[in-house]
Amino acid sequence: MHESGVEGAYGSGRMSRQRLLIARVAASMPGAFTIDALCSAVRENDGSTGVATVYRAVAVLLTEGWLERVGERDGHALLARCPVGPRHHHHVVCDECGRVEATECPVVEAPGHATSASFVITRHEVTLYGLCPQCAAEASAEGVR
Amino acid sequence: MHESGVEGAYGSGRMSRQRLLIARVAASMPGAFTIDALCSAVRENDGSTGVATVYRAVAVLLTEGWLERVGERDGHALLARCPVGPRHHHHVVCDECGRVEATECPVVEAPGHATSASFVITRHEVTLYGLCPQCAAEASAEGVR
DNA sequence: GTGTATGCAAACTGTTTGCATGGAC
DNA sequence: GTCCATGCAAACAGTTTGCATACAC
């Protein structure tokens, strides 16, 4: 594997053992994750890594665009390594397993849209939630049981 | 004025001086507001009202559906009294003054949507941000100046 | 060698909870 | 009269910061 592009993750910042670990763990997450899930996973791998380091690293990864905020759950931000890059897109989050995929923008920029017609829309946030193929299959199996 | 429907705001809960004040202040907010903006506004009106009371009241107002989470700014939830009611809808938030309006759902439920096709979408969150008519007018006036 | 990243712990912010008291119904 | 809502302060969770040390470059 090509290390998932971990090398440039911190931009011009220095690469340390901890930062490498944090980026690797983040990249290996199956889907969206909260910061403290990341903390746990990192510390499980190396208990000597402090939480502050994880927070600082994540802040850098976010400003570098290597990680993204893709939504939220129970008031906690959901992060994910998004392969799409800076192109305009949104995310689908699996409510069951947290898997995240990029999706095309489902928003109609209809100019005559009812109440919003008088607003000048500059940006929008969209997150779709549901079940990924695997979880959907399991759920329907449960239902039949 | 008809008190903006403050009477039923807390459902079957009891109405107190503080709760009445909190609901009135919330209803008088020009647009979306954060909890601590509400706290400040309430305490400005009656310094003896504790923050805990505001938080507890807001929790009730949210579960009653009298208030709604309409988005977020700097990691803080934006709340607003939404006149639309429980019908499916979304919000347009003015980045400048915080004014909020309801808008029709701009999401296309296209069944064949690229990557999300394999996901079973159960819900979505959409918030539009931009400038309300007034702020847009002011902004363009600034630009011309 | 220089300067950034780290670990630790303390500080800090926003929110919730326990408990005795006051007030709504 | 009963029970809910309040105020206060303490507890709490999540996050950030200060500082001395370790390490990348």
Side-chain angles (χ1 to χ4, degrees), chain B residues 32-35 62 68-73 75-80 93-94 98 100 127 129:
Chain B
F33 50 90
T34 57
I35 285 205
L62 284 170
E68 258 187 288
R69 277 207 46 171
V70 297
E72 91 171 65
R73 188 153 49 198
H76 297 283
L78 288 177
L79 308 174
V93 181
C94 177
V100 173
T127 309
Y129 295 88

Side-chain angles (χ1 to χ4, degrees), chain A residues 67-123:
Chain A
L67 272 186
E68 260 187 288
R69 277 206 48 170
V70 298
E72 90 171 66
R73 190 153 47 200
D74 322 313
H76 296 282
L78 288 177
L79 307 174
R81 166 109 179 82
C82 189
V84 171
R87 209 183 74 223
H88 180 76
H89 67 284
H90 300 287
H91 301 96
V92 206
V93 181
C94 178
D95 273 329
E96 200 60 34
C97 68
R99 178 175 283 105
V100 173
E101 278 189 26
T103 184
E104 288 173 20
C105 179
V107 171
V108 194
E109 297 288 2
H113 233 286
T115 34
S116 65
S118 46
F119 274 65
V120 181
I121 306 299
T122 53
R123 67 199 165 88

